[in-house]
Amino acid sequence: MSWRFISLPPQDGYHMVTSFVAVADYVNRGGKNTLLIFSVKEPFVNVGVHQEVWLEVDLEFTKKMKIPVVRRDLGGGTVVITAGEHDYFIVVRQEDAPRNPTELYRKFLTPVVNVLRSYGLNADLRDQDIVVNGKKISGNGAMTRGNSVVLAGNILLSLDVDLISKCIKVPTEKFRDKMAKDMSEWLTSLEKELGYVPPRDEINRKLKEAFEKELGIKFEDSTLTPEEIELWEKLASEKAKEEWIFYKDNRHPNIHTERCVKISSAVALCHLDYKARKLLRITLKIVNKKIDEISISGDFFVMSPNGFIEYLEDRLKGVSANLEEIREVILDEFNEKKPVIFGFNENDLIDALTEIMRKPDIQEVI
């Protein structure tokens, strides 16, 4: 099977997060599976599609330093993208991709693992991350787009822990210092492991060889088509608009809180961070013993169907603040829509809502 191999010059953040969408459109129209590789011109904060920016990003610092905040179409957590990354985007026809997320990551990330092992590193796949001696050196995420599947990821060449820690929202500066220390302990890079950064051309050559060997394919060096470039420019322009960047924030403007508070005898507002396989962040407003508004955010991945989280939020509005009724709605929607989610399941969501509904401030109004 023949694939396209495309290596591009460094791009800005808006072009990075839309490149694979333009390629997916090409694949949807019958184009070849594609491995796209490039890096970024300057740092930017990359927020997952299911995250609220105000909860994740230190906007005071990023504005002062003129570091763009970019929302991508993929799930996952907030990351700070720097020129110290080597980024890749794998776009394939749906029939060539396993439906199970774990099998999907194993199939398409094994070549990347093998490249790292070729440098003598003890690299392994752990969920959707690649680790070296237990430390993360590659983060990855996946999504469906029409009849194609996209897997986006990177290899960390070098790390700027100080910059990364300053871009992320934290409760205190002491916590920020701890986060920077923790990042140094659970993140690594080729520079840290090898003592030098291999040339990007060399890494590209190794990636091509590893993918060809593992998947039984043959690459042809290629470029984006004029149609892809036209769509790419249009999408990048759209992603630079504030209504997209703050889409999730603006969807729930009246429930921005990180605590639980009883507002009146009939109204309570509460936030909960719940650790499933991935982080679930639930913010809930109860009015007159019903769910008035709910935000479900976090660093999970929803591969299909598109818009499921927003649909579920809307479906839960107006539901009685009764755990059995809430549970029934969630189970019904999961059974009907059959979402493919990496990071939590229906029982995790029910458990998170059970925990938040049992908070004293909520209990006092229901």
Side-chain angles (χ1 to χ4, degrees), residues 26-166:
Y26 157 85
V27 172
N28 286 340
R29 289 184 281 108
K32 293 183 178 181
N33 293 346
T34 302
L35 175 58
L36 179 68
I37 294 180
F38 59 91
S39 58
V40 293
K41 291 178 181 176
E42 60 270 322
F44 70 96
V45 182
N46 192 5
V47 178
V49 69
H50 304 298
Q51 294 189 302
E52 295 186 61
V53 175
W54 78 272
L55 274 171
E56 310 293 345
V57 182
D58 188 329
L59 289 169
E60 184 179 341
F61 176 78
T62 55
K63 286 175 182 175
K64 182 176 75 174
M65 301 303 293
K66 294 182 170 56
I67 297 173
V69 176
V70 181
R71 180 185 295 278
R72 62 186 182 270
D73 284 304
L74 279 163
T78 295
V79 292
V80 181
I81 307 294
T82 72
E85 291 188 11
H86 199 61
D87 297 272
Y88 51 81
F89 305 90
I90 302 157
V91 188
V92 300
R93 292 184 295 269
Q94 211 160 38
E95 59 263 32
D96 295 329
R99 178 175 167 82
N100 179 281
T102 301
E103 293 174 10
L104 175 77
Y105 290 126
R106 186 183 301 116
K107 177 174 181 176
F108 293 115
L109 293 180
T110 295
V112 185
V113 171
N114 291 340
V115 168
L116 295 171
R117 287 177 178 172
S118 75
Y119 285 103
L121 300 178
N122 180 27
D124 287 294
L125 184 61
R126 185 173 65 191
D127 291 332
Q128 81 273 36
D129 296 331
I130 300 173
V131 299
V132 171
N133 295 323
K135 294 184 177 183
K136 181 176 173 179
I137 197 169
S138 169
N140 301 272
M143 63 175 280
T144 56
R145 180 84 182 182
N147 295 317
S148 61
V149 175
V150 177
L151 193 154
N154 59 57
I155 298 171
L156 293 175
L157 306 184
S158 60
L159 274 172
D160 188 342
V161 168
D162 182 61
L163 176 67
I164 295 170
S165 65
K166 286 177 178 175

Side-chain angles (χ1 to χ4, degrees), residues 3 62 64 71 82 95 103 133-134 141 152 175 178 185 223-224 246 261 339 343 361 364:
W3 282 38
T62 55
K64 182 176 75 174
R71 180 185 295 278
T82 72
E95 59 263 32
E103 293 174 10
N133 295 323
F175 188 93
K178 181 182 183 302
E185 291 176 354
T223 57
L224 295 174
F246 295 97
V261 58
D361 297 280
E364 286 183 24

Side-chain angles (χ1 to χ4, degrees), residues 212-241:
E212 286 181 336
K213 182 177 180 182
E214 182 68 27
L215 301 181
I217 62 172
K218 190 68 181 172
F219 280 118
E220 58 178 49
D221 290 327
S222 188
T223 57
L224 295 174
T225 65
E227 292 81 8
E228 285 173 288
I229 293 171
E230 182 181 358
L231 177 58
W232 189 20
E233 292 296 339
K234 176 175 176 287
L235 293 170
S237 176
E238 291 173 356
K239 287 291 183 282
K241 295 177 181 176

Side-chain angles (χ1 to χ4, degrees), residues 271-286:
H271 176 86
L272 174 75
D273 284 351
Y274 183 87
K275 192 71 174 80
R277 194 169 186 181
K278 288 288 186 178
L279 181 66
L280 270 172
R281 306 188 96 165
I282 309 289
T283 310
L284 184 72
K285 186 179 183 183
I286 300 294

Side-chain angles (χ1 to χ4, degrees), residues 8-27:
L8 297 175
Q11 304 290 326
D12 62 37
Y14 306 112
H15 282 83
M16 172 165 276
V17 304
T18 50
S19 59
F20 52 83
V21 181
V23 175
D25 182 71
Y26 157 85
V27 172

